[in-house]
Amino acid sequence: MSAFESTGAARSTPEFQNRPVLMETVTENDAQDDLSSAIDLSDGLAGDCETHLLWFANNPQKSPERRNAIRLWNEDPNLLDELRVLFDNLRPDIVHTHRLGEFTTAGHAARQAGVPNIVHSVCGAITGAEKWQLDQFAAVVEALSPLLIAPSEEAADRLPPSARIEILPAGIDCERYVPGDPARARRKIGLPAKPRVIGCASPLQGLETLLHALFRMDGEVHLALFGQARPAQAERSLIKRLGLEERVHVLGAWAKPELVFQAIDVYFHGPSGDWLPRAILAAQACGKPAIACAPAPNKTLCPQTGRQVPMQYMPTLLHSLRRTLDSADPEVTRQFIVDNWNVERSLEGYSALFKQLAEPGPDRRIA
């Protein structure tokens, strides 16, 4: 029995016939670190589309973390065949991908299965991509002829000029990411109750400056690492050398970011290569001030409480961390996200677009 057959996935029942059938794709790593909007869209568009979440898993044996996901093993040698059979069964009107790997694999299978619409949302990393990466992406776009979704004009300008492009705003789920009781959140995720805590979910490579800044701060300031912030041996050695073992908390994979953002006092995001890090938006939706390094733009930071700093200059980083820890305005911070980066705006745009794409005819597949 194939992976998707065990989920009970099937073509829409009569009450769904007039709604577009949407397949959202997500890799397990992106789901784990909340790097993709796929789950937000799958949940948020369920009233307008018949949505299915296709989960590319890391392990062929483990059950999916998320219920109701159609799970396929990322390294399955028969993955393309599994995908083609899946698309033949569900007959989606739209396959929507978010990463180049998903785009390449699911996109080719969708084309072979006659899926009429392949949509790919480019992530914020496209704005900082090198020429060889853009060339690789352009080759896939030429082969699959998708509709590309860019989060901004800056990202759209880097896409192949011949491509079909729509610009839709990015956003974060402001009902999932909400202010909460820090003490309760700390108990649930294992953080100490008393210290002030800086949270970080950006890749740790090259973030020695943050650890040195922590070393120079009061001993009652701690650091919580989660998401992509997984210290390698070099960072662990530095933590030990600086005597920070009791002040640096590695929360590990699958730490619920909703609780982490409620538990911390300040969020810090180092240079991650992503022009639009979701973690910056999520932290502020929980009312926590954010400090960010380029390429994250100033417009993602609340003007009253957010700060952008140069990573390489320690005095500025240290000053910003101290100032931000000593001042907080959670209501203003959250309202900035609700007004400017709420996923509801994205959902409206995607819903209108997907309905438009799926308009022609009851059987929308192509040969």
Side-chain angles (χ1 to χ4, degrees), residues 283-290 302 304-306 328-338:
Q284 293 176 105
C286 292
K288 302 306 166 75
C302 174
Q304 288 80 18
T305 63
D329 197 336
E331 292 184 5
V332 168
T333 303
R334 174 171 169 80
Q335 195 60 47
F336 168 75
I337 298 297
V338 171

Side-chain angles (χ1 to χ4, degrees), residues 159-191:
L159 299 177
S162 60
R164 293 184 298 150
I165 301 170
E166 293 279 347
I167 297 176
L168 290 177
I172 202 77
D173 187 345
C174 292
E175 294 185 7
R176 174 186 174 195
Y177 289 106
V178 296
D181 180 1
R184 174 180 174 275
R186 290 189 181 193
R187 286 195 302 270
K188 282 184 169 289
I189 60 179
L191 286 177

Side-chain angles (χ1 to χ4, degrees), residues 5 59 77 91 106 137 140 151 173 195 200 217 221 235 301 305 354:
E5 287 174 335
N59 189 307
R91 300 165 64 85
F137 180 70
V140 182
D173 187 345
C200 176
M217 299 180 78
V221 177
E235 287 82 23
L301 297 168
T305 63
F354 289 162

Side-chain angles (χ1 to χ4, degrees), residues 24-36 38-39 53-58 72 74 98-103 254:
E24 288 284 341
T25 71
V26 66
T27 63
E28 187 166 308
N29 288 340
D30 274 2
Q32 175 177 301
D33 294 335
D34 193 28
L35 297 177
S36 168
I39 294 175
L53 183 65
L54 174 56
W55 181 291
F56 289 105
N58 294 337
L72 294 176
N74 215 8
H98 300 261
R99 294 287 181 180
L100 182 59
E102 305 165 34
F103 180 34
W254 298 111

Side-chain angles (χ1 to χ4, degrees), residues 228-350:
Q228 291 184 290
R230 302 181 183 98
Q233 185 57 47
E235 287 82 23
R236 290 184 182 277
S237 297
L238 179 59
I239 290 169
K240 185 175 182 179
R241 190 164 71 249
L242 295 175
L244 297 174
E245 297 101 316
E246 299 298 320
R247 296 171 58 194
V248 176
H249 308 273
V250 181
L251 301 181
W254 298 111
K256 289 191 176 298
E258 303 97 315
L259 291 175
V260 180
F261 291 125
Q262 291 177 357
I264 64 176
D265 297 284
V266 170
Y267 177 70
F268 171 82
H269 201 89
S272 63
D274 191 343
W275 180 85
L276 193 63
R278 282 171 58 83
I280 293 175
L281 305 180
Q284 293 176 105
C286 292
K288 302 306 166 75
I291 299 172
C293 300
N298 269 323
K299 68 180 183 179
T300 62
L301 297 168
C302 174
Q304 288 80 18
T305 63
R307 289 179 171 85
Q308 189 174 53
V309 298
M311 184 69 229
Q312 69 276 14
Y313 190 55
M314 159 102 72
T316 301
L317 174 60
L318 186 59
H319 174 75
S320 295
L321 288 169
R322 285 173 170 161
R323 284 281 304 273
T324 308
L325 281 167
D326 290 337
S327 61
D329 197 336
E331 292 184 5
V332 168
T333 303
R334 174 171 169 80
Q335 195 60 47
F336 168 75
I337 298 297
V338 171
D339 291 343
N340 299 283
W341 296 99
N342 195 330
V343 77
E344 292 297 327
R345 295 173 59 218
S346 299
L347 292 174
E348 291 174 4
Y350 274 107

